[in-house]
Amino acid sequence: MSKISHLDCTLRDGGYYNNWNFKISLIEKYLNVMSDIKIDYVEIGFRSLEKNEFRGACAYTTDEFLNTLKIPKNIKIAVMVNASELIKNSSKNKNKNVIKKLFKKSKSTKIKLIRIASHFSEIPKLMPLVPTIKKLGYKLAINLMQSSDRNENEIKELCTLSQKYKVDVLYFADSTGSLNSINTIKISRMFKKYWKGDLGIHAHDNMGKAMENSISAIDNGTNWVDSTVLGMGRGPGNVKTESLIIELEKKVGKKFNYTNLLKLIDNEFVPMKNKYNWGSNPYYYLSGIHGIHPTFIQRMLEANSFKCEEILAVIENLKTTGGKKFSDDLIQTYRQNFYGNSKGSYAPSKNMKNKDVLILGSGPGLKEHKLALEAFIRNSKPFVIALNTTKTISAKLINARVVCNTLRLLTDHKSFSRLPQKIIMPYQRLSSSIKARLSKIKKLDFGVEIKNNNFKFRNSSATIPNSLAITYALAIANSGKAKRIYLAGFDGYDADDPKRREMDELLLLYQSLKKKKDLVSITPTKYKVKSRSVYSF
C-alpha cells in the first residue's frame, strides 16, 4: 500500500456552522493536536476575495493571519479556493492576475497546498489558471464536486486535462453524500485507470457511510483522505478524524497518540456540536438518497422555523429539480409554493390609515411584558397584527393575523381556522388545491410579489424581499398608511445565528427606504431599531 496522506479540514469545512469564526486559542490547541496525531496537511480555511459580509479569519486565511499562529513544524498548511470565484474574477479582469491577487510565491507564505473546489463543468475554464499557481511553487489539488454523477468519458477527459496541466492531486468529493462502497470502488477504479497521480476522497456522512466509503477508496488505490474532528462539516459532516486514525493504525501499522485529541474533543468540540448540531439525521439521509445538496437541509434546520412537513415538502420538490446545486432562493421558492397573480382584494388602509400599528412577534419579551402590553393596547388602541399563530396576548386584543408562507398555511390551517381573527394572506397567489384546504379560514387577501432586495407598497399588494411574516406585516402596515409601527416580542437572536443575520439584513433594507413608517420596539430588542419602553405610555 502506498503512503496515505491524511488531510484534516475541520476549520475549513466546520466553518459553515460558525461562519469560520474560531478563537485563536482553539486554533492553536487544534494545530498542536494535529501534530500529535501526525496529520500530514491541515486545510485551515478558505482563501477568498469575497468581502460582502462578516466572516471569521478562516474564511480568508490571509498570510497575515497565518503569521500570528504558532504552527508546528511537521504540519503542512493547505487552503481551499472555489473555482467559481477564480473563474468569475479572471473573467472580469480578462487575465490571470486573480491568482497573484490571492497568493504570493510559496516561499513567502506558510501555505504549501492549494486545493480548488470545482464542478466538472468549470474545469475547462479553470485549467488555464493552473500554470500560474504551479509557477508560484505550490502543490495543487483539485477537489471535484458531485463526482458520483460523472460517467467514464467525463472522468477520462478530466484526467487527461489534469495530466496536461500537471495537477498534483485529484480529489473526488461525495458532495451530496449519496455514495455507497460499491459506487466508491467503481469511481476509484475509473480514476486510477486514467490518472497516474495522487488520488483523494472527500466523503460526506449523509447516510452514515463516510468512513466505509473512505476505507473502500483507500483499498482501491486512493492515497489521500480527508477527515474532520468529531465530523464537524457542512451539512451532516464528514469522516471523524478520531475514528479514521484508528482505522489507519490497522492499515499502515502506525501508532497514534490520541489522548490530547480526545481531550480537545471533550473540552472544545462537544460543546460546539451541542450548539450547532451537525451530524447525520433522517433529513440528511433522504438528501443523500436523492442526491440533494446537504446545505439545503442545513439551512432549514438552522432556521428553526421549518416544521417537519415543510422540510419534507422541500425535499420532495428538490428530488426532481434543482437539488444538486445549493441555492437559498430555491428553498424560498419551494416554501412559498406561489402560483397565481400578485394582486389582492384587501386594502389595509380601511383599517390602519393614520393609526398606530402594533406587530406582535413570538419572542420571550411578549410573555414577560404581557400585562403591560395588554394595558398599552387597551389604552392606546393600535391596530394589532400578530404573526402566524402567536397566542401570548389575549385574542380579544388582536385585530388580525398575517401569514405569507404557503407551507405555514398548509401545516397550521386547522389552528388558523379556530382563531377568532381574520388572517391576512396572499390568497390569489395560491393554487386551487391549496385554496380548497383553507375554506374554513376567515381571510383577507393582500397580494404579494417576492423580489430580492425590494420593497414596494401598493393599495392592496406589495413587493417584498422574502416570505417572512414580519416582512409581509411591514408591507401591510405601510400599504395601510399607518401612522407608525410598534414592535413587541422581537427580542432578537444571538449574533452568530443565521436568523439574526436575515433579520438584520431585512431591517437594514427597510430602514434604507425613503418612504416608510417609523419602527419603534416597545419591548427589549437586539435589533437596530428605535426603542421605547411599553411602561412609558
Side-chain angles (χ1 to χ4, degrees):
M1 178 177 286
S2 59
K3 181 187 181 302
I4 304 296
S5 291
H6 188 172
L7 184 149
D8 188 287
C9 51
T10 304
L11 302 182
R12 195 271 306 166
D13 216 339
Y16 285 101
Y17 277 99
N18 68 352
N19 211 19
W20 295 275
N21 195 22
F22 294 92
K23 293 179 181 177
I24 297 294
S25 58
L26 168 61
I27 294 174
E28 292 192 335
K29 285 179 193 173
Y30 158 81
L31 289 172
N32 286 328
V33 167
M34 294 300 101
S35 174
D36 287 344
I37 61 173
K38 302 173 185 175
I39 292 294
D40 299 288
Y41 288 87
V42 167
E43 190 170 72
I44 203 164
F46 281 100
R47 178 63 66 90
S48 176
L49 294 170
E50 301 289 344
K51 296 174 182 176
N52 294 330
E53 59 180 283
F54 173 81
R55 290 176 177 172
C58 291
Y60 304 101
T61 324
T62 62
D63 292 314
E64 291 76 15
F65 167 64
L66 290 174
N67 289 337
T68 67
L69 300 175
K70 297 173 184 175
I71 301 173
K73 291 182 179 178
N74 63 326
I75 292 287
K76 300 183 194 74
I77 296 297
V79 294
M80 179 172 276
V81 188
N82 286 314
S84 57
E85 185 179 340
L86 293 178
I87 292 166
K88 180 179 76 173
N89 282 283
S90 63
S91 174
K92 280 182 182 178
N93 298 327
K94 296 182 180 178
N95 56 41
K96 300 168 189 174
N97 285 345
V98 62
I99 301 299
K100 292 183 178 178
K101 281 184 180 179
L102 282 167
F103 296 102
K104 305 173 183 176
K105 289 184 177 180
S106 63
K107 292 178 181 178
S108 306
T109 176
K110 294 182 179 180
I111 297 168
K112 301 303 173 192
L113 171 70
I114 295 172
R115 190 156 66 149
I116 302 175
S118 177
H119 289 95
F120 272 68
S121 61
E122 294 168 326
I123 290 293
K125 292 181 180 178
L126 172 67
M127 281 300 181
L129 303 175
V130 167
T132 306
I133 296 173
K134 298 295 292 180
K135 283 177 185 176
L136 291 173
Y138 294 98
K139 195 177 188 79
L140 176 66
I142 293 182
N143 196 54
L144 297 153
M145 296 183 282
Q146 298 180 354
S147 300
S148 58
D149 298 329
R150 307 279 69 88
N151 61 41
E152 187 167 350
N153 284 336
E154 289 174 306
I155 289 175
K156 179 181 178 181
E157 184 180 342
L158 165 76
C159 292
T160 302
L161 266 176
S162 299
Q163 300 279 14
K164 176 183 175 182
Y165 284 96
K166 300 180 181 178
V167 173
D168 296 292
V169 189
L170 281 182
Y171 259 88
F172 63 94
D174 181 16
S175 305
T176 57
S178 55
L179 287 179
N180 57 33
S181 59
I182 294 171
N183 303 134
T184 302
I185 291 168
K186 181 181 177 183
I187 291 170
S188 298
R189 289 177 177 174
M190 274 197 287
F191 271 100
K192 293 301 291 183
K193 182 176 177 181
Y194 301 108
W195 172 249
K196 304 309 175 188
D198 288 335
L199 181 64
I201 180 171
H202 179 87
H204 285 171
D205 210 27
N206 297 57
M207 300 192 292
K209 295 182 179 180
M211 175 66 78
E212 176 188 340
N213 292 339
S214 295
I215 297 302
S216 295
I218 290 169
D219 288 342
N220 285 272
T222 299
N223 62 325
W224 282 60
V225 63
D226 286 8
S227 67
T228 59
V229 176
L230 207 60
M232 186 180 190
R234 176 156 60 174
N238 311 91
V239 181
K240 296 177 176 66
T241 297
E242 59 275 18
S243 301
L244 184 58
I245 59 173
I246 294 171
E247 289 295 325
L248 290 179
E249 276 187 335
K250 304 175 195 174
K251 293 280 179 193
V252 299
K254 263 186 190 177
K255 290 298 284 182
F256 297 104
N257 176 11
Y258 34 83
T259 303
N260 289 332
L261 172 59
L262 298 181
K263 287 180 181 176
L264 180 73
I265 289 170
D266 288 342
N267 296 334
E268 303 285 353
F269 283 87
V270 167
M272 275 198 285
K273 191 174 192 299
N274 291 337
K275 180 176 181 179
Y276 297 112
N277 198 31
W278 68 80
S280 194
N281 60 41
Y283 303 120
Y284 284 123
Y285 198 95
L286 285 168
S287 74
I289 288 174
H290 299 301
I292 295 168
H293 200 293
T295 302
F296 283 112
I297 309 301
Q298 181 178 328
R299 290 290 172 81
M300 288 189 284
L301 294 176
E302 284 174 345
N304 283 335
S305 61
F306 283 78
K307 293 189 175 183
C308 167
E309 295 90 341
E310 292 183 292
I311 297 175
L312 292 174
V314 172
I315 290 172
E316 189 65 26
N317 279 288
L318 291 170
K319 277 166 56 175
T320 53
T321 55
K324 292 189 181 298
K325 188 172 182 181
F326 175 70
S327 164
D328 262 324
D329 291 340
L330 274 180
I331 294 180
Q332 293 303 329
T333 299
Y334 290 133
R335 203 179 188 201
Q336 291 153 16
N337 199 23
F338 285 149
Y339 291 89
N341 66 59
S342 60
K343 294 180 180 179
S345 58
Y346 169 61
S349 58
K350 293 177 183 178
N351 306 110
M352 303 176 200
K353 189 173 182 179
N354 296 325
K355 290 187 69 173
D356 290 333
V357 169
L358 171 62
I359 301 175
L360 302 177
S362 57
L366 207 63
K367 186 175 182 180
E368 187 176 348
H369 304 287
K370 177 181 187 308
L371 294 178
L373 285 166
E374 290 182 343
F376 165 73
I377 295 168
R378 282 191 292 267
N379 294 330
S380 300
K381 296 183 171 50
F383 188 89
V384 181
I385 296 174
L387 304 188
N388 300 315
T389 56
T390 299
K391 293 180 182 177
T392 306
I393 299 300
S394 170
K396 295 177 182 178
L397 299 175
I398 297 172
N399 298 102
R401 294 179 178 275
V402 300
V403 57
C404 185
N405 182 279
T406 310
L407 288 173
R408 168 77 75 174
L409 273 168
L410 287 176
T411 54
D412 289 347
H413 72 280
K414 290 182 180 178
S415 297
F416 283 122
S417 67
R418 291 192 289 266
L419 293 169
Q421 305 86 17
K422 289 186 176 180
I423 314 298
I424 305 174
M425 65 176 75
Y427 186 70
Q428 290 304 319
R429 295 216 65 179
L430 306 178
S431 67
S432 56
S433 62
I434 294 174
K435 287 177 182 176
R437 296 178 68 178
L438 306 179
S439 59
K440 294 182 180 179
I441 295 176
K442 299 182 288 292
K443 47 197 166 285
L444 296 168
D445 180 17
F446 183 78
V448 72
E449 177 186 27
I450 309 290
K451 274 190 182 179
N452 285 340
N453 300 314
N454 213 306
F455 266 115
K456 286 183 181 175
F457 311 122
R458 295 178 286 274
N459 186 44
S460 59
S461 68
T463 300
I464 57 177
N466 57 50
S467 64
L468 293 176
I470 177 58
T471 312
Y472 189 49
L474 290 174
I476 289 166
N478 277 272
S479 293
K481 298 180 173 57
K483 185 177 179 182
R484 72 175 63 82
I485 301 171
Y486 290 119
L487 303 176
F490 291 86
D491 301 52
Y493 304 100
D494 291 338
D496 60 351
D497 191 312
K499 289 181 289 184
R500 171 65 180 274
R501 294 198 296 275
E502 186 175 39
M503 273 296 292
D504 284 341
E505 288 170 7
L506 167 66
L507 292 171
L508 186 65
L509 175 63
Y510 180 83
Q511 301 285 23
S512 72
L513 300 176
K514 290 182 179 179
K515 292 184 178 181
K516 84 279 185 182
K517 302 304 175 183
D518 281 345
L519 290 183
V520 181
S521 179
I522 58 175
T523 58
T525 184
K526 295 175 183 175
Y527 299 123
K528 292 180 179 179
V529 296
K530 294 177 183 176
S531 293
R532 179 179 174 182
S533 173
V534 67
Y535 297 95
S536 69
F537 287 90

